[in-house]
Amino acid sequence: PPLGIVPLGTANDFAAACSIPAELDAALDLACNASPVAIDALTANDRVVANVATAGFGAHVTAQTPAELKAFLGGGAYTLMGMIKALGFKPYQGKIVTADREIEGSAIVAAICNGRQAGGGQQLAPTALLTDGLMDVLLILAFPANEIDTVIKEAMTSELDGRYVRRFKTHFLEVHSSDGMPCNLDGEPYEAEAIRFEVIAKALDVVLPPDCPCV
């Protein structure tokens, strides 16, 4: 059956990015009367992700320190970098593999996106589409302290595939970490040494507004 969405959660990021009304009556009216759209979903091993999966620092903070999470998500890249420094965060060692690239080393954050935003409005993949058969990946690699200005500049440029902030699209992605990588799958904690993300095209029939910007 088609899935209608009424945004009664904490952040409602998927609904907000899709322009689903925040008001209860309007959201119910849309769910009952608008036409469904077949959207993609992601699999993460045996789990399913409709919106965004994050790995590394963001997932660690989500699981351990929700107050700090709310504080840094509101302030964009500057606050993110400040939090990393303040917490003395150590990057995760691992490897990311796609069909056309392999990135090995230290990473701070990885976001694997079907939707556009998470964490209460944080635009992780501003141009992501729910119907293109691709996942949008944001990766922040470890960086020396004297390069923080470069990292901030790259993070604030949504289309840039830079030196420390990588952005790309792919059909599948594998994450390997010998110590285990904490993840957050649509808000649910998950951890594994190896995770394979794949796109399942047109997996869900979801009722969306006719002018939804994500399709």
Side-chain angles (χ1 to χ4, degrees), residues 39-43 48 114 130 133 171 198-204:
I39 71 166
D40 304 334
L42 309 180
T43 57
V48 178
N114 189 41
L130 297 168
H171 296 281
E198 293 189 39
V199 178
I200 307 300
K202 299 181 178 181
L204 297 171

Side-chain angles (χ1 to χ4, degrees), residues 80-177:
L80 171 61
M81 301 310 164
M83 281 290 294
I84 292 169
K85 293 179 67 177
L87 295 178
F89 181 77
K90 294 182 180 180
Y92 289 91
Q93 301 290 326
K95 179 169 65 174
I96 288 179
V97 179
T98 73
D100 59 0
R101 67 176 73 196
E102 184 173 308
I103 303 170
E104 187 169 5
S106 302
I108 296 170
V109 174
I112 298 92
C113 306
N114 189 41
R116 293 186 173 185
Q117 66 183 55
Q122 189 78 2
Q123 293 284 328
L124 300 175
T127 62
L129 296 173
L130 297 168
T131 52
D132 62 355
L134 297 168
M135 64 185 80
D136 287 55
V137 180
L138 165 67
L139 180 65
I140 302 180
L141 303 177
F143 57 89
N146 62 353
E147 291 281 11
I148 191 166
D149 289 342
T150 300
V151 175
I152 291 171
K153 182 178 179 180
E154 292 181 356
M156 300 299 285
T157 307
S158 62
E159 293 300 310
L160 180 66
D161 187 11
R163 181 178 180 186
Y164 299 107
V165 179
R166 305 285 181 86
R167 297 179 187 270
F168 55 91
K169 299 175 184 286
T170 183
H171 296 281
F172 80 90
L173 179 144
E174 294 179 356
V175 178
H176 301 271
S177 175

Side-chain angles (χ1 to χ4, degrees), residues 16-82:
C18 291
S19 297
I20 292 173
E23 297 76 20
L24 176 60
D25 289 349
L28 283 170
D29 181 69
L30 176 75
C32 292
N33 297 304
S35 299
V37 177
I39 71 166
D40 304 334
L42 309 180
T43 57
N45 290 346
D46 60 346
R47 308 292 183 95
V48 178
V49 178
N51 189 38
V52 173
T54 56
F57 175 71
H60 174 80
V61 174
T62 301
Q64 303 295 331
T65 50
E68 286 83 348
L69 172 69
K70 293 177 182 177
F72 94 75
L73 284 175
Y78 285 94
T79 314
L80 171 61
M81 301 310 164

